[in-house]
């Protein structure tokens, strides 16, 4: 491009792809579907048409300001799409290939990446603070959790997608982009749930239900599912729970009765709120493992006494992205879906269009439904 080019010319040249997107302009504000212009595909990038995208609790946290987000932004990070353009250096993907979008893109060079923890990559999510599009009036737009799937298309590096085999449906692939890998990964990769063990899961959204499936696959024999919404019982039992327990004042008694008064071997908090973290901690046995899967707020303090940390000898561990390395672990997830061990259909409680996203977030905030799949680019046949 000529350095003499005026500003407008430059913008048009660098941001050539006009697509419809649900744009969040203010914390707590609505997401309005409008046209944005995506950046040009760089040598190592791919442009992807978003076929289906789930609406995740993290989207809600970003939209409401619980998690920080540069604005204006296009949220959405749990998606399956189709490659429509590849950069010159991308030789292993072609147009028409379906892919899962990843919200962590490991650099493969930093300390965590070279020490077996690529899901903790130091720069894995940094693209969320870099503009990837412009509004029609020229403001920079940021991709929520690096993906920006509440739009017809997005542009991401090649390393931010995983190819989807032909026998995996688009809907299943979309769910593997966040909730399922996080939840199943939390049980299997993070906590290493063991055969014959007892498991307690608090918070039955897409992630919590996936933890139940992971616990079942790991061979846990007592799987206790807890939620404030009793309507979740049926889904919990279908996902592998042996018992559904309402989140009420009888909870402690119920867990003790099912664990010979010890508490669960493995506890999972899938809410990320101080009271549920405390409950998960208290309902896990002495010497047991507590895994925090839900994302809490930075000002939400959780009190622990020094004595109890010592006395109960529990492990308390955070879990980012299910400790999953998508590049190497996704094949296993595809196999679980093929064999029927992993049932993703049960997670989908609704379908919608891009313009439905605010309504879907509202329902999630109220604890209703699990996963609504949006179809930003139109009809999906697979
Ligand atoms: Zn998510
Ligand atoms: Zn890295």
């Amino acid at each position: 491009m000529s350095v003499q080019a005026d500003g407008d010319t430059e913008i048009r040249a660098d941001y050539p792809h006009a697509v419809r997107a649900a744009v969040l302009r203010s914390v707590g504000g609505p997401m309005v579907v409008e046209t944005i212009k995506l950046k040009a595909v760089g040598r190592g990038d791919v442009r992807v048409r978003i076929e289906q995208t789930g609406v995740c609790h993290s989207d809600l946290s970003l939209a409401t300001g619980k998690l920080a987000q540069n604005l204006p932004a296009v949220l959405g990070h749990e998606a399956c799409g189709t490659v429509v353009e590849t950069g010159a250096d991308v030789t292993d993907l072609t147009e028409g290939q379906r892919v899962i979008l990843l919200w962590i893109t490991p650099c493969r060079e930093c300390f965590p990446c070279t020490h077996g923890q690529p899901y903790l990559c130091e720069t894995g999510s940094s693209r969320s603070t870099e503009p990837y599009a412009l509004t029609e009036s020229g403001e920079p737009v940021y991709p929520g959790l690096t993906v920006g799937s509440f739009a017809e298309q997005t542009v991401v590096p090649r390393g931010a997608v995983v190819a989807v085999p032909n026998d995996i449906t688009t809907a299943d692939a979309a769910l593997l982009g966040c909730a399922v890998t996080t939840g199943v990964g939390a049980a299997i990769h993070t906590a290493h749930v063991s055969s014959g063990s007892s498991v307690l899961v608090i918070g039955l959204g897409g992630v919590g239900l996936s933890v139940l499936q992971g616990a079942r696959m790991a061979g846990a024999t007592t799987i206790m599912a807890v939620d404030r919404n009793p309507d979740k019982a049926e889904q919990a039992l279908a996902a592998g729970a042996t018992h559904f327990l309402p989140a009420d004042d009888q909870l402690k008694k119920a867990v003790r009765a099912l664990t010979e008064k010890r508490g669960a071997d493995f506890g999972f908090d899938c809410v990320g709120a101080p009271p549920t973290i405390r409950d998960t901690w208290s309902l896990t046995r002495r010497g047991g493992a507590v895994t925090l899967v839900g994302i809490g707020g930075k000002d939400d303090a959780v009190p622990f006494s020094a004595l109890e940390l010592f006395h109960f000898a529990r492990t308390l561990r955070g879990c980012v992205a299910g400790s999953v390395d998508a590049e190497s672990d996704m094949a296993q997830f595809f196999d679980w879906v093929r064999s029927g061990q992993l049932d993703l259909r049960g997670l989908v409680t609704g379908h919608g269009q891009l313009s439905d996203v605010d309504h879907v977030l509202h329902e999630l905030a109220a604890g209703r439904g699990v996963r609504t799949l949006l179809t930003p680019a139109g009809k999906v046949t697979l």
Side-chain angles (χ1 to χ4, degrees), residues 142-191:
Y142 299 88
L145 290 175
T146 76
V147 175
S149 61
F150 295 160
E152 291 173 325
Q153 298 187 4
T154 190
V155 174
V156 295
R158 164 65 185 92
V161 300
V162 168
V164 179
N166 289 337
D167 59 348
I168 301 294
T169 68
T170 297
D172 285 353
L175 296 169
L176 288 172
C178 182
V180 173
T181 38
T182 298
V184 173
I188 291 177
H189 289 263
T190 310

Side-chain angles (χ1 to χ4, degrees), residues 106-110 113 121-122:
C107 74
R108 306 290 171 190
E109 290 172 0
C110 71
C113 277
C121 174
E122 289 167 4

